[in-house]
Amino acid sequence: MTDDNHRGDGEGHEHVPSRQRRRFPGISSRAYEHPADRSALVALRKLTGFDTVFKALSGLLPERSLRLLFLSDSVRVSDAQFAHLNTMLRDACYILDLEKVPPMYVNQDPNPNAMCIGLDEPIIVVTTGLVELLDEEEMRAVVGHEVGHALSGHSVYRTILLFLTNLALKVAWIPLGNVAIMAIVTGLREWFRKSELSADRAGLLVGQDLKASMRGLMKLAGGNHLHEMNVDAFLAQAEEYEAGGDLRDSVLKILNVLPRTHPFATVRAAELKKWADSRDYQRIMDGHYPRRDEDKDTSVSDSFRQSASSYADNMRNSKDPLMKLVNDIAGGAGDLGGKLRGKFTGQGQGGGQDQGGQGRSGQDGPADEGPPYDK
């Protein structure tokens, strides 16, 4: 599966450089999509009013204007401009077998950022701040991240989120005019954050260098000071963030993340490291992954079950104080009820006798799996 000196024969794959990296012909985005990504998108589509807004905006958004804006006021990546980025882009599309290479633009902005937007066809935009911050292998992971968004079809929802966010600011003065829009924006942001976890995985599949992916996330958090940073210590921050504090901190975490479009950098690093160490990742690297030509035969109910199972596993294994409390209550409500009843009746302390003096039968609490919860 290594693409040694291979020249792509698909559209836009001429002059694909030689790479000692594995290629994934026909790979489906299902191979790398985070279960929470799929679940959040399903929940978003069920949000009241979303279908109406989506259909309306799909026909109204000025996509042609958007393309002309970047064409006129940014630098389009090509063999003649930012050639090293063009090489990375073609390489990423070749590895993930994305036949049509999306146009990429470099936009003057000191803030490090990248995005994949567009309704009919995706456009990738990276800022000068990001290009100047990352080295070649770190940037390769970012380009793969954005190509992963394109392969997953994320650009449509991302474009709508950008439009609605700007619209919400303009109608904020109208009584109740902002409420309906912000409900959809909040749902889109929740999905957006989960889609970033999927795209991080795609970036790893393209770069195939976990250390580079980790370095890139560390730089997004702490700038270009790698000599002052340490991967293990950075991951320890994620562990402390998840497990530390009390219930008040758990609530503050939720409030802090709600207005964000991206998960926190330490959380992304921890999630990516966990996936890189998993059997799922190794199977993909060994060539065993779902193909796009099988997507039409995929069971929607199976996808839902996988997502629900992932949520349940995350909840059981979560070290967050609020999640542990919810899990304990859900998993041991029967025993908790018995203890409370014994406490108030003065029974059950010394031999498990009920009020009639007879031994209590075993109490069956709810299953260990708590309700799906998005951390």
Side-chain angles (χ1 to χ4, degrees), residues 250-260:
S250 297
V251 174
L252 290 174
K253 291 176 191 176
I254 296 172
L255 295 177
N256 284 340
V257 80
L258 279 178
R260 295 175 59 92

Side-chain angles (χ1 to χ4, degrees), residues 126-233:
V126 297
T127 65
T128 51
L130 187 70
V131 174
E132 293 164 3
L133 177 65
L134 304 183
D135 67 25
E136 180 176 350
E137 291 306 308
E138 296 158 7
M139 194 68 200
R140 188 182 300 279
V142 170
V143 172
H145 174 112
E146 299 306 326
V147 170
H149 279 312
L151 183 59
S152 291
H154 289 162
S155 61
V156 174
Y157 296 101
R158 290 169 159 251
T159 305
I160 290 176
L161 174 59
L162 289 174
F163 179 82
L164 287 179
T165 302
N166 291 331
L167 180 62
L169 294 175
K170 295 177 181 178
V171 301
W173 61 273
I174 303 176
L176 299 180
N178 195 34
V179 175
I181 294 176
M182 286 309 300
I184 296 177
V185 167
T186 300
L188 276 165
R189 281 176 176 162
E190 171 64 13
W191 163 77
F192 198 115
R193 290 189 293 269
K194 304 310 178 189
S195 73
E196 286 297 299
L197 302 179
S198 296
D200 283 343
R201 295 177 174 187
L204 180 59
L205 290 177
V206 167
Q208 297 173 29
D209 184 345
L210 180 61
K211 291 181 179 179
S213 294
M214 291 290 110
R215 291 199 309 269
L217 291 169
M218 289 170 64
K219 284 184 175 181
L220 289 177
N224 195 13
H225 302 281
L226 281 179
H227 63 287
E228 299 284 355
M229 293 185 277
N230 177 276
V231 173
D232 292 335

Side-chain angles (χ1 to χ4, degrees), residues 5 26 42 57 74 84 88 95 105 116 133 149 152 178 196 199 207 228 253 267 286 302 305 316 334 366 375:
N5 299 309
V42 169
L57 291 181
S74 301
H84 71 293
M88 292 181 194
I95 290 174
Y105 294 89
C116 180
L133 177 65
H149 279 312
S152 291
N178 195 34
E196 286 297 299
E228 299 284 355
K253 291 176 191 176
V267 174
D286 290 341
D302 286 345
R305 280 194 292 269
R316 280 196 300 269
K375 293 191 293 183

